[in-house]
Amino acid sequence: MGNRMTCMQIKDLKGAFACGSKKEMNRSSSMKKLVSEKEKLCQISQRFESFIINRIVSTRSKPRRSLSDPSSNDKQVPIFLENIETKKVILVHGEGLGAWCWYKIVPMMEEAGMHPVALDLAGSGANNCININNITSLEDYSKPLMNYLGSLAGDEKVILVGHSCGGATISYAMEKYPNKISKAIFLCATMVNNGQRPFDPFAQELGSAELFLKESQNLLYGNGKERPPTGLMLEKDQIKSLYFNHCSSKDIALASMSMRAVPLAPMIEKLKLTTENYGTVKRFFIQTADDNILRLQIQEEIVQKNPPHGVYKIKGSDHSPFFSKPRSLNKILLEIAQL
């Protein structure tokens, strides 16, 4: 009996030990599985993290599909470049300025996939091939643009953008090369009618052309006082208050150092525009709401007297939106390009 009991206890112990050993083994196996699963999760997490980082980096390095002004509440405009007639945009500066004034717009347009070209008109910017005292007509002044349009191959077309008195230059180009121009965009510009002068829209601010030529203290007489004035040069304070009232101090400094005298003859020449040429090109006008030299009221009158295909407005912009509101301007230019 005792021996049997002993044997049974030993067997039971052996069974219990074996059972315990199996449980321990199962626990050990479960632990190993947990560790293995944790390692897998860790690897997956690391891969996912790496994937996200790579996505962020690649997204930052790609050009954006839409651009908007951070200070604006407007929705972003999708860009569908495959649907537009031309990607080439010719940027024509206004009086006294040069190709340099588009320095913020050019990279933005390039980022969107467009091909902007900023030109220096005769006697402007870096163009020193002619002295402003020898510029006696709008034809002389506009030659760089005319030469460019004349060099375009076959049926190639461009979009013209003219700022301020650059509106007269692109109007002249529309009359000479209507088949080369897809659209013309007048940026707070002199969009005049046939028989008008580029100076006329400024008359409310500066007085009539005749009165201005008699009384202005800013005229230049490059060919002598006994002969008609050849140019106009505004003072630094005038430039700041009239053209750059919402611009940064850096941009004002750049303009003050870079602006050149304005050739006078192109501003007081009457334009000859016909419906057969000028009238066949689609025109768009961009208004600048806080403009001190071409006030919004004057811009409204320009649009009413010579209605374009579309009118846009940049709120909070002075006469130089390429400085004060570059993103808003770029957004509108891209939108018009897609029409």
Side-chain angles (χ1 to χ4, degrees):
M1 287 283 294
N3 290 336
R4 189 184 294 174
M5 283 291 294
T6 305
C7 286
M8 288 185 68
Q9 287 172 353
I10 290 170
K11 284 179 182 178
D12 290 340
L13 285 168
K14 285 180 179 177
F17 179 79
C19 185
S21 179
K22 284 179 182 178
K23 286 180 180 177
E24 286 297 318
M25 288 175 68
N26 288 337
R27 283 177 191 168
S28 177
S29 177
S30 297
M31 287 295 290
K32 286 180 179 178
K33 285 181 181 178
L34 283 171
V35 170
S36 178
E37 286 176 1
K38 282 183 179 178
E39 288 176 350
K40 285 180 181 178
L41 284 171
C42 186
Q43 289 174 357
I44 291 169
S45 176
Q46 288 174 348
R47 287 174 189 168
F48 179 75
E49 199 171 83
S50 176
F51 170 76
I52 291 297
I53 290 170
N54 288 333
R55 286 286 300 203
I56 291 170
V57 171
S58 65
T59 302
R60 284 175 180 169
S61 64
K62 291 178 182 176
R64 295 181 183 179
R65 295 293 295 166
S66 59
L67 296 170
S68 63
D69 193 327
S71 62
S72 170
N73 292 322
D74 295 337
K75 292 181 180 178
Q76 292 182 338
V77 178
I79 301 167
F80 304 103
L81 295 183
E82 64 275 10
N83 297 330
I84 68 174
E85 186 177 12
T86 179
K87 294 181 181 179
K88 189 166 285 187
V89 181
I90 312 304
L91 303 168
V92 180
H93 62 81
E95 65 282 0
L97 303 171
W100 52 267
C101 74
W102 304 102
Y103 82 94
K104 291 182 181 179
I105 300 300
V106 168
M108 286 184 188
M109 298 201 83
E110 288 177 338
E111 184 183 0
M114 301 295 282
H115 305 312
V117 177
L119 296 177
D120 280 319
L121 296 178
S124 304
N127 189 333
N128 294 312
C129 59
I130 186 170
N131 189 297
I132 69 157
N133 300 319
N134 298 325
I135 297 174
T136 59
S137 66
L138 186 58
E139 181 182 2
D140 290 343
Y141 185 55
S142 306
K143 265 185 182 176
L145 177 59
M146 298 301 109
N147 291 342
Y148 185 90
L149 293 175
S151 69
L152 294 175
D155 58 353
E156 187 179 2
K157 290 191 174 186
V158 300
I159 296 171
L160 292 184
V161 181
H163 170 248
S164 200
C165 281
T169 302
I170 68 172
S171 295
Y172 182 78
M174 291 159 67
E175 181 64 28
K176 298 297 180 182
Y177 292 99
N179 297 328
K180 296 289 185 182
I181 303 164
S182 169
K183 301 175 185 73
I185 304 173
F186 292 78
L187 175 59
C188 51
T190 51
M191 188 174 68
V192 297
N193 286 309
N194 179 47
Q196 284 189 303
R197 294 170 289 198
F199 184 89
D200 289 346
F202 297 96
Q204 290 187 32
E205 191 69 37
L206 302 175
S208 68
E210 290 77 15
L211 183 65
F212 181 78
L213 291 174
K214 286 181 181 178
E215 298 183 356
S216 177
Q217 302 297 312
N218 303 110
L219 296 176
L220 303 175
Y221 295 83
N223 297 325
K225 275 280 186 179
E226 67 285 353
R227 303 191 68 182
T230 55
L232 168 69
M233 191 68 191
L234 297 176
E235 300 293 333
K236 185 176 180 180
D237 290 342
Q238 292 174 313
I239 290 170
K240 181 178 178 180
S241 62
L242 293 175
Y243 288 81
F244 311 115
N245 45 297
H246 285 325
C247 294
S248 70
S249 56
K250 288 183 179 179
D251 286 331
I252 294 172
L254 170 65
S256 298
M257 291 186 290
S258 306
M259 286 184 76
R260 296 178 62 178
V262 182
L264 204 57
M267 289 189 69
I268 57 175
E269 179 182 323
K270 291 182 179 181
L271 272 73
K272 295 179 181 178
L273 307 172
T274 64
T275 53
E276 295 79 17
N277 294 325
Y278 170 86
T280 61
V281 182
K282 284 187 177 180
R283 291 175 290 112
F284 298 85
F285 197 96
I286 302 176
Q287 297 177 332
T288 42
D290 292 341
D291 198 316
N292 278 352
I293 190 166
L294 199 66
R295 296 189 184 278
L296 186 59
Q297 179 186 350
I298 301 172
Q299 295 178 52
E300 293 284 4
E301 290 175 6
I302 290 173
V303 168
Q304 289 170 9
K305 292 176 181 176
N306 192 10
H309 288 77
V311 180
Y312 296 78
K313 184 186 292 183
I314 303 178
K315 295 179 180 178
S317 175
D318 52 22
H319 194 60
S320 304
F322 37 77
F323 286 163
S324 60
K325 289 288 182 181
R327 291 194 178 278
S328 293
L329 173 57
N330 181 63
K331 181 179 175 182
I332 292 172
L333 294 177
L334 293 176
E335 186 174 333
I336 294 173
Q338 296 174 73
L339 296 176

